[in-house]
Each structure stands twice: as C-alpha cells, then as structure tokens.
Amino acid sequence: MKEPQLEYYTHLLLTLNRGYNKGFGRAPHKPILLLAVLEQINKGNYTTNKIFVTPELVLSFKDLFNRLVDTGHKDTISLPFFHMRSEPFWRLVIKPGFELSVTSSKSIKSFKSLVESVAFAEIDRDLFFLASDPIDNALLRTILLDHYFPKTKDELQYSTAHTLENTIEKQILNESTTEYQTRLDSLKHSLQEDELAEELFIRGGVFKTTIPKTYDHTCCISGMKITNAQKSQMVDACHIIPFSISYNDTVPNGICLSPTLHRAFDRGLITIKDDYTVRVSPTVEDNDSVYSITQFDGQPILLPQTIKHYPSLESLVWHNKEVYVI
C-alpha cells in the first residue's frame, strides 16, 4: 500500500506549480515550505495532518531558505503557505467568521492576514502518514533537495549552531533591556511591515520556549512541572510588563507560570513583590482546595539558577503599580 502512495506523492512533489521571475528564475518557496513541514513533522511538532503557522515552522522555513536559496528571492512564508492551495494535497482552512484578504492579483496580502484569517492548512492524511515515518520522511526530503536544490543541498550538512533561533535565544538570554529594545527599534526602521510582523512572531515564539527552559519547565509559584512523551509544554512564558508596552523579550521580563496562574498574574489577581514573594489580591475569594491561589500568598517564588536571569525588580514594581488589584 505504501509504495503506490510514495510514487504518487513523489510525482506531486516533483511537479509543483511555481512562479517565475525573469531575474531570479523559478520560485523556491514551495519546496522550502515542504522541507520545513517535513522537518517539523519529524521533530514531532505536528501530530496530525493540520499544519498550523507556528514560530517553529517560520524559523525552520527561514533557516532552510537561507541555507539553500542562492537567488534574490525573499524568504516570505505567507506566499507559499497560501499558494500551496493550488497543489492537490494542500487545503487552506479559514477561521470561522473570517474572510481571506487577497490582493488584486489574488495573492495573500500579508503575513498578518495569513495569521489572522487562516486556521491551518490540511494536507492529505496519506502524505502525513508517510511523513510521520522517519525513513519515508528522509526519503521525501532527499527527493525535494535533489530536484530543487542540487547545488546547495550540502549546506544542510554543516553545523546549525548559528541558526536564527539560536541567535535570538542568545539575545533573549544575554542582552540588557536597553540593548534588546534598541535592537527592536532598529529592526522597526530597517524592515518592511510584513518582515517586521514575521520577526516579532518568531521572537515571541522563542521567548515562549526560552523562559520555561530557564525555569526548568517549572511554575515559579506552584512548583508544577509536568513532563510527557510528546514533549508538550505544560507551563507558560509570561511577560511581566506586556510586550505591547515594553517591547522587551529578555529573560528578566519573563516568569514561568502554570496557565491558571498566568491568567491570574495578567489580570492582577496575583503579583510578585520586590523580595520575590507572592502577593494575592485581597479581592480574591476562593474555596479551600489544592487549586486555590490564596494558598500562595507570602510564599517565595522559585528563581532561575543564574542571578542575571532573576525577574527584573523594575518590571515587578511596574506590575505591582499598574496591574495588581488592591
């Protein structure tokens, strides 16, 4: 049963509908996107045939693009994600109540439009099952690389120590608030609107994975730590001062919380004082149970191993003043 499926999808992968530019040649975006999807499936980040636009997918797309594409094409993921719908194995599912905003040339308007209006892309179940098998996944990747990137495919053999994800993670871990905010201000002036939207989307995703690692995937208030075979993240990265206000993704502006305590923190029902102890709002009334949040009042939080990663006292003071409900 697998052999005819493999033959069928090999044919489709080798005959992708691709745009043409007189100066650059055939567009490389679709095969790059498929390589990124195969990579994410192989890592276990997609467990069904629903392909969501995630920071991990965008990072994978950009890293592969930078390694494999030697023309002047731009590494924009919104175009191939949208135009892949012309392939028989790829279907776009629009969010209920939304309409897909397209240009006069019937292309997606922007990355923002893609994220806002598209729920996910659905690929054929048979293709997903093939991609879920490590051997077939590797074979499909080889087919794409040999056909579309014969001159640059060897670039993937080199170290990935300087990938975009690693670069951003180092900035989030090591830069001061001022350095990081200056960097983002520079990006705002140097990038086009769509490029900036992708950049901030990616950085938000790296923040969400970096903070839990800094806290050993443990809620700093409740001590909750859950591991699972799927490596699903069960705790949240929480900005102390919201990113929309601070433009600050550095570790000292983040704490690791369980989903319930994250909501309570964002709503000002709990805060953390400058001595790193929890304060519960006097407006909170909850029942006497293992799930109550009042039990944490006055309790010290768990802190990262590295002092420079401790929550910023300046950020905590801001939260105490501007968010905490007295």
Side-chain angles (χ1 to χ4, degrees):
M1 186 67 181
K2 201 184 256 191
E3 199 62 39
Q5 291 172 344
L6 190 56
E7 185 177 342
Y8 171 68
Y9 286 111
T10 296
H11 171 72
L12 293 182
L13 295 187
L14 296 180
T15 56
L16 295 171
N17 298 305
R18 298 191 294 152
Y20 180 79
N21 180 289
K22 287 184 179 180
F24 303 146
R26 292 288 177 189
H29 301 76
K30 281 187 178 181
I32 292 288
L33 177 57
L34 289 171
L35 284 167
V37 169
L38 288 170
E39 183 173 272
Q40 292 302 305
I41 292 174
N42 195 48
K43 288 181 176 179
N45 290 336
Y46 291 126
T47 55
T48 72
N49 64 328
K50 294 179 174 62
I51 308 301
F52 294 90
V53 181
T54 64
E56 291 79 12
L57 178 66
V58 181
L59 278 165
S60 181
F61 177 86
K62 286 185 173 294
D63 274 327
L64 288 165
F65 202 101
N66 291 335
R67 288 167 177 269
L68 296 171
V69 179
D70 57 2
T71 61
H73 291 94
K74 287 192 174 182
D75 58 347
T76 305
I77 195 173
S78 55
L79 294 178
F81 201 95
F82 173 78
H83 287 294
M84 195 79 81
R85 66 180 186 166
S86 66
E87 308 299 338
F89 55 82
W90 185 281
R91 294 164 294 281
L92 287 184
V93 178
I94 309 303
K95 294 178 181 177
F98 282 81
E99 290 185 6
L100 200 57
S101 182
V102 297
T103 63
S104 57
S105 59
K106 300 189 184 304
S107 184
I108 189 76
K109 277 192 173 182
S110 64
F111 178 75
K112 181 180 178 182
S113 298
L114 180 73
V115 173
E116 287 181 347
S117 58
V118 174
F120 52 84
E122 187 178 67
I123 63 173
D124 287 355
R125 289 182 181 276
D126 287 343
L127 177 57
F128 175 74
F129 290 139
L130 280 174
S132 298
D133 181 279
I135 295 176
D136 290 330
N137 186 295
L139 179 58
L140 292 173
R141 279 185 285 167
T142 299
I143 289 168
L144 286 166
L145 289 169
D146 287 346
H147 186 72
Y148 294 107
F149 309 104
K151 295 179 181 178
T152 56
K153 63 181 181 180
D154 290 342
E155 290 294 322
L156 298 186
Q157 297 177 7
Y158 302 129
S159 169
T160 60
H162 300 293
T163 62
L164 179 59
E165 181 177 11
N166 289 334
T167 298
I168 293 174
E169 184 176 67
K170 286 179 181 178
Q171 293 167 5
I172 288 173
L173 284 167
N174 300 314
E175 290 187 347
S176 69
T177 296
T178 302
E179 288 173 325
Y180 193 82
Q181 290 171 331
T182 300
R183 179 183 298 281
L184 288 194
D185 190 57
S186 176
L187 289 173
K188 281 196 293 182
H189 289 90
S190 63
L191 297 178
Q192 295 181 1
E193 184 178 351
D194 209 42
E195 294 173 326
L196 181 61
E198 279 192 14
E199 180 77 21
L200 296 183
F201 183 76
I202 288 170
R203 286 179 176 274
V206 178
F207 175 85
K208 289 176 183 177
T209 57
T210 302
I211 296 298
K213 284 192 286 188
T214 306
Y215 283 82
D216 192 27
H217 300 277
T218 304
C219 172
C220 72
I221 292 179
S222 70
M224 184 190 84
K225 179 179 181 179
I226 299 174
T227 58
N228 57 88
Q230 291 75 30
K231 297 181 180 179
S232 301
Q233 192 163 292
M234 304 303 292
V235 287
D236 295 344
C238 173
H239 285 93
I240 301 172
I241 304 178
F243 180 79
S244 59
I245 296 173
S246 65
Y247 262 56
N248 181 9
D249 281 325
T250 61
V251 169
N253 191 42
I255 51 175
C256 187
L257 296 173
S258 68
T260 299
L261 292 173
H262 186 174
R263 289 177 177 80
F265 187 83
D266 284 350
R267 289 161 175 76
L269 300 182
I270 57 173
T271 194
I272 298 170
K273 306 299 286 184
D274 57 9
D275 60 355
Y276 299 119
T277 60
V278 179
R279 180 64 57 82
V280 178
S281 169
T283 65
V284 172
E285 295 182 16
D286 57 9
N287 59 352
D288 184 17
S289 77
V290 294
Y291 305 108
S292 70
I293 65 174
T294 52
Q295 66 179 302
F296 302 116
D297 193 45
Q299 174 180 296
I301 67 168
L302 301 173
L303 292 165
Q305 290 187 344
T306 305
I307 293 177
K308 72 175 182 177
H309 294 155
Y310 282 16
S312 159
L313 296 182
E314 182 181 355
S315 296
L316 293 176
V317 168
W318 181 92
H319 187 272
N320 277 231
K321 180 181 178 182
E322 302 295 337
V323 182
Y324 182 58
V325 180
I326 299 176

